[in-house]
Amino acid sequence: PAADAAPAADAAPAADAAPVDDVAPVADAAPVADVVTAADAGVDAAGNSSKELCVEMSVVLAVEMSTQPFKTFKFDGILGLGLDGLAMSTNFSAFMTLFNRGRVPAARFGVFLTEGDEGEESEIAMGGYDPRRILEPLSYAPVEMAEYGYWQVAISAIRINGVELDICRDGTCRGVVDTGTSHLGIPAPADVEVGQLLTADAGDVFDCRLVDAPEVEIVLPGKTLTLQPHNYMRRLPLREGVSVSSSNGVHMPAQDG
C-alpha cells in the first residue's frame, strides 16, 4: 500500500466534518470546541516521529448514541479529510486548521492502512508522508472538480486481465479516492460486468486473496494503478448466494460536466 492514499498535490485537504447523524443514527450531536492532539509528520533518518503538537479546533461530538451500530465499532470517531466543499465550515476543517496555524510543514497528508497481519499499525501522517510506508516513488494526479469537496481524479481507462472495459471510453470517467471505505465503487450498469469478471471460485482456499483471479488496472493521468487479487479480494470466502455488495448503491448528486 502506498502512503499517498489520497492525492495531495494541488490543494490543501479540509475536513469533511459533516454532522455525524448523516452517516449513522446518533442523538443530540452538537458542534463544540475542543482541543485535540496530533503527531507532527516529521520523521528522522531512523523513521522516528518528532514532538507532539496541540491546536484548538471545532469538532462534532455526540453526547448520546444508539447501541446499534456504535457498540460494535472499534474506533472513537471520524477524522474528515475532504476538501472545503464537504466541510461544515473552515472552523471544522481539521487539516486546514493545522496548516493555517503553521503546525504542519506542507499542505499534504499521507494515509497508510493495514490489517495488521505483520504487526504493522495504520497511520496518518500530517504535513507529509512516512517514507517507510511507500513501495515506490510517489506519483501525483490533479484533482478534478475540487469545488465538490472530493479527492476526485480523472480515470482514462479500466482494464481487467489486459482487456479495456467500455465504461471509460468516452473520456468522462472520474474516481473518488476515499479512505473511509475498502470497497471499489463501480457506477451502474458497469458494476454487474466488473463483479462478474472479478468473482472467482474459492475452491479449497480459505483466504480469497490467494485465489487465481484477474489483474485490475486503473489508468490515471501519468500513472497506472495495478491491483492483484491480494489487493482487492476479501479475506474470507462467501457462501453461495451471499453478497456483500449494495443492491441500492450510493447516490451522489449530479455534477455538471
Side-chain angles (χ1 to χ4, degrees), residues 108-168:
R108 296 178 179 178
F109 62 87
V111 178
F112 176 76
L113 300 177
T114 175
E115 292 187 278
D117 291 343
E118 300 178 2
E120 296 177 312
E121 293 185 347
S122 299
E123 67 179 35
I124 300 177
M126 295 294 188
Y129 64 92
D130 187 339
R132 299 173 300 173
R133 304 305 188 190
I134 62 173
L135 299 177
E136 60 184 47
L138 295 183
S139 298
Y140 293 93
V143 175
E144 298 284 322
M145 305 171 72
E147 64 272 17
Y148 288 99
Y150 300 103
W151 288 104
Q152 188 170 213
V153 296
I155 298 178
S156 305
I158 300 289
R159 293 193 290 262
I160 296 182
N161 253 6
V163 178
E164 184 174 343
L165 306 185
D166 292 333
I167 181 175
C168 291

Side-chain angles (χ1 to χ4, degrees), residues 150-234:
Y150 300 103
W151 288 104
Q152 188 170 213
V153 296
I155 298 178
S156 305
I158 300 289
R159 293 193 290 262
I160 296 182
N161 253 6
V163 178
E164 184 174 343
L165 306 185
D166 292 333
I167 181 175
C168 291
R169 290 186 186 274
D170 62 0
T172 62
C173 268
R174 295 183 299 274
V176 175
V177 183
D178 183 8
T179 58
T181 178
S182 59
H183 291 83
L184 290 173
I186 310 295
D191 58 324
V192 176
E193 177 187 12
V194 173
Q196 292 174 344
L197 290 172
L198 298 184
T199 298
D201 188 354
D204 296 328
V205 176
F206 293 100
D207 188 335
C208 284
R209 297 173 299 180
L210 303 177
V211 301
D212 183 14
E215 177 182 87
V216 178
E217 295 174 281
I218 303 174
V219 184
L220 309 177
K223 177 68 176 181
T224 298
L225 299 178
T226 302
L227 305 179
Q228 304 297 338
H230 66 268
N231 298 127
Y232 66 79
M233 279 291 186
R234 287 170 46 87

